[in-house]
C-alpha cells in the first residue's frame, strides 16, 4: 500500500509536472467538482479532490503518453495503488483500457470532459462566470458540435450512464461544483 498524498503535496506534484496555467486551472476545476460529488455520495472529499487534482498529472510534460506515464511517475513516488488506478481510469476508451469501477472513478471519467465544456461556455458569457451559468446554456452548447470541438461528448454521456444519473443532473452538479472554486479557476467573472 502506497502513500496517499495530502492536498499540499498533490498541488506541489501537479506544479512540478504542469507549467501551463490552463492545465492547473483545469485540475483545480476537476478537484472542486470531485469534492462536490464526494459530498453527494457521502464519500471522502479530500481523497476525491486529490484524485481530481492529479488526474492529468502527466499531461503537461507527456501528452503523448497520457495515462501511461502517470503510472511510472506515481509508482516512483510510491503513491497509493487505488489513487493510480483512479487517475488512469479517466482515460478509459481513449488512451487506456482501465474501466472506471468505483463511483469516484466514474465521476472523474464523466466530469473531466464536462468541466472543459462548462468552462468554455462560461467564458463566452457576458459575465465570464460560472456563478450565473444555467443548465440550459450548457445543454445548448453540448448539442452544438462546432462549439468546444475538443470536448468528447460521448464520454460525458457514457459517464452519466455509468453513474446511473441523467445528463441534466450531471451537468447541474458539475456547474455547482465549479462555482465553489470559481475564483481559483478564473471563472468568477465580473459577478
Amino acid at each position: 500500500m502506497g502513500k496517499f498524498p495530502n492536498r499540499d503535496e498533490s498541488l506541489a506534484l501537479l506544479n512540478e509536472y504542469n507549467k501551463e496555467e490552463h492545465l492547473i486551472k483545469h485540475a483545480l476545476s476537476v478537484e472542486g467538482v470531485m469534492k462536490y460529488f464526494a459530498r453527494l455520495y457521502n464519500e471522502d472529499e479530500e481523497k476525491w479532490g486529490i484524485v481530481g487534482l492529479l488526474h492529468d498529472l502527466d499531461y503537461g510534460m507527456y501528452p503523448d503518453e497520457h495515462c501511461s506515464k502517470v503510472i511510472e511517475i506515481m509508482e516512483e513516488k510510491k503513491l497509493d495503488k487505488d489513487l493510480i488506478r483512479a487517475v488512469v481510469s479517466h482515460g478509459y476508451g481513449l488512451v487506456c483500457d482501465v474501466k472506471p469501477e468505483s463511483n469516484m472513478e466514474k465521476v472523474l471519467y464523466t466530469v473531466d470532459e464536462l468541466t472543459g465544456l462548462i468552462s468554455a461556455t462560461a467564458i463566452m458569457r457576458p459575465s465570464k462566470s460560472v456563478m450565473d451559468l444555467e443548465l440550459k446554456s450548457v445543454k445548448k452548447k453540448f448539442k452544438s458540435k462546432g462549439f468546444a470541438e475538443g470536448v468528447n461528448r460521448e464520454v460525458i454521456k457514457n459517464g452519466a450512464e455509468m453513474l446511473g444519473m441523467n445528463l441534466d443532473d450531471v451537468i447541474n452538479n458539475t456547474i455547482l461544483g465549479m462555482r465553489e472554486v470559481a475564483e481559483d479557476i478564473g471563472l468568477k467573472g465580473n459577478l
Side-chain angles (χ1 to χ4, degrees):
M1 177 111 168
K3 174 183 177 16
F4 209 98
N6 66 32
R7 187 176 191 276
D8 289 342
E9 293 164 336
S10 299
L11 203 50
L13 190 58
L14 178 69
N15 282 297
E16 181 182 336
Y17 286 91
N18 291 273
K19 304 300 180 199
E20 295 182 46
E21 185 183 9
H22 73 97
L23 295 176
I24 303 295
K25 284 183 177 177
H26 172 65
L28 293 171
S29 293
V30 176
E31 175 194 28
V33 172
M34 289 296 289
K35 288 173 84 169
Y36 185 87
F37 271 88
R39 285 197 304 277
L40 295 180
Y41 283 97
N42 234 357
E43 294 281 351
D44 184 338
E45 267 187 72
E46 171 98 358
K47 181 179 182 180
W48 282 45
I50 298 305
V51 168
L53 195 58
L54 295 178
H55 82 283
D56 278 346
L57 180 64
D58 60 359
Y59 193 80
M61 287 185 163
Y62 308 100
D64 296 336
E65 298 174 73
H66 185 41
C67 290
S68 59
K69 188 68 174 178
V70 75
I71 298 169
E72 186 183 314
I73 294 167
M74 290 184 151
E75 283 179 348
E76 226 172 70
K77 307 261 184 208
K78 298 185 179 5
L79 297 185
D80 185 87
K81 295 226 178 298
D82 291 342
L83 170 62
I84 298 170
R85 187 197 143 67
V87 163
V88 171
S89 74
H90 88 276
Y92 177 66
L94 303 169
V95 293
C96 76
D97 59 0
V98 178
K99 187 174 183 179
E101 290 174 357
S102 68
N103 284 332
M104 178 174 67
E105 292 171 351
K106 291 173 185 175
V107 169
L108 177 63
Y109 172 79
T110 308
V111 304
D112 178 33
E113 293 285 320
L114 184 53
T115 58
L117 180 70
I118 291 170
S119 294
T121 305
I123 289 166
M124 299 302 292
R125 299 175 59 72
S127 66
K128 306 226 179 294
S129 176
V130 290
M131 301 310 286
D132 63 345
L133 183 62
E134 293 180 18
L135 172 65
K136 65 181 180 184
S137 300
V138 177
K139 282 181 67 173
K140 188 175 174 186
K141 296 297 187 188
F142 187 93
K143 291 175 185 160
S144 171
K145 299 291 180 233
F147 181 79
E149 290 176 44
V151 172
N152 189 324
R153 283 137 170 96
E154 284 307 304
V155 165
I156 299 167
K157 286 188 223 170
N158 292 343
E161 279 178 34
M162 279 184 198
L163 287 166
M165 288 177 86
N166 74 49
L167 188 58
D168 286 6
D169 289 342
V170 171
I171 293 170
N172 204 45
N173 284 318
T174 303
I175 292 169
L176 294 172
M178 288 176 73
R179 282 182 184 168
E180 292 185 358
V181 293
E183 196 146 340
D184 296 337
I185 61 175
L187 290 177
K188 194 154 199 271
N190 52 30
L191 295 179

